Amino acid sequence: LTIARLRPRVIAALSPADQAIFLPRFEQHFPTVFNLLMHLYGQHYDFFFHLEQMTDLLVEAFQARSEALRQLDQRRLTEPLWYQRGKMLGYVLYVDLFNGTLSGVREKISYLKKLGVTYLHLMPLFKAPETNSDGGYAISDFRTVNPSLGTMADLRALADELRAEGISLVLDFVFNHTSDEHDW
């Protein structure tokens, strides 16, 4: 019932080419998401309103994906266990201790490549309280990079350059590490 209710909304928002990509994934994964959300929030009077809003955000985010990301999505769909390949080599670093800033990390991509890194995990880099700090894990804003490390534009540029070099970027989004300064 829910997919039948949301499907026309999705179709109206997408071009036929995007429908061919988005709809199969939506129809495959949405029932699981719906059941989990229904269990948590289904008793709220505005549950379906928020479900529609979430669907709209999913469509907008899909439409905003660059061609490079769409191609990566397609490759990963054909190899769903890509991250378990024997050639994957992970590297974890604190941006400030590694080379100061996100731009500094970009300067070291060739070094990471020489090491064989294919998976780069950056430790806390989002905005955190300036006082009473816990090392950057109590996030004040998941949409803002810690200004001492760079900007969201710097993060985007780093992600693009890493992707071009075959290195997957990983970031932590640990929502129970949210600061009391966060809008939430």
Side-chain angles (χ1 to χ4, degrees):
L1 175 67
T2 304
I3 284 188
R5 178 178 171 173
L6 293 172
R7 194 172 207 280
R9 186 181 194 97
V10 171
I11 289 171
L14 293 171
S15 70
D18 281 352
Q19 289 174 32
I21 298 167
F22 185 88
L23 278 173
R25 288 189 254 176
F26 181 73
E27 291 174 352
Q28 177 185 358
H29 297 291
F30 190 81
T32 301
V33 172
F34 173 79
N35 287 332
L36 292 169
L37 290 172
M38 182 67 151
H39 177 72
L40 291 171
Y41 305 110
Q43 72 281 6
H44 293 271
Y45 75 94
D46 56 354
F47 173 71
F48 285 99
F49 169 78
H50 288 290
L51 200 60
E52 288 174 342
Q53 298 301 301
M54 183 191 74
T55 301
D56 292 347
L57 283 172
L58 287 171
V59 168
E60 288 173 27
F62 171 75
Q63 290 173 317
R65 288 180 78 70
S66 68
E67 185 57 34
L69 286 174
R70 286 174 179 237
Q71 289 175 8
L72 180 61
D73 293 343
Q74 198 55 42
R75 285 195 307 273
R76 288 184 173 168
L77 283 172
T78 60
E79 189 184 351
L81 299 177
W82 62 270
Y83 54 90
Q84 292 182 352
R85 288 190 316 239
K87 295 179 182 178
M88 292 297 288
L89 177 64
Y91 194 95
V92 178
L93 62 86
Y94 288 86
V95 173
D96 57 339
L97 300 175
F98 181 75
N99 204 26
T101 64
L102 292 169
S103 295
V105 174
R106 281 180 63 203
E107 294 169 4
K108 299 290 186 181
I109 290 176
S110 63
Y111 166 74
L112 296 169
K113 191 87 169 145
K114 285 178 190 170
L115 293 176
V117 172
T118 58
Y119 177 102
L120 182 62
H121 183 168
L122 301 182
M123 295 305 281
L125 58 86
F126 292 107
K127 186 176 178 193
E130 292 181 28
T131 59
N132 197 20
S133 174
D134 68 347
Y137 286 96
I139 305 301
S140 302
D141 186 348
F142 285 98
R143 292 182 176 96
T144 304
V145 169
N146 179 336
S148 68
L149 302 177
T151 65
M152 289 301 283
D154 295 330
L155 181 58
R156 247 182 252 98
L158 175 61
D160 290 344
E161 200 165 325
L162 287 168
R163 187 178 325 100
E165 292 296 329
I167 300 173
S168 297
L169 177 61
V170 179
L171 304 175
D172 285 330
F173 289 97
V174 183
F175 295 111
N176 65 333
H177 289 191
T178 303
S179 163
D180 60 359
E181 292 180 6
H182 199 287
D183 287 343
W184 298 339

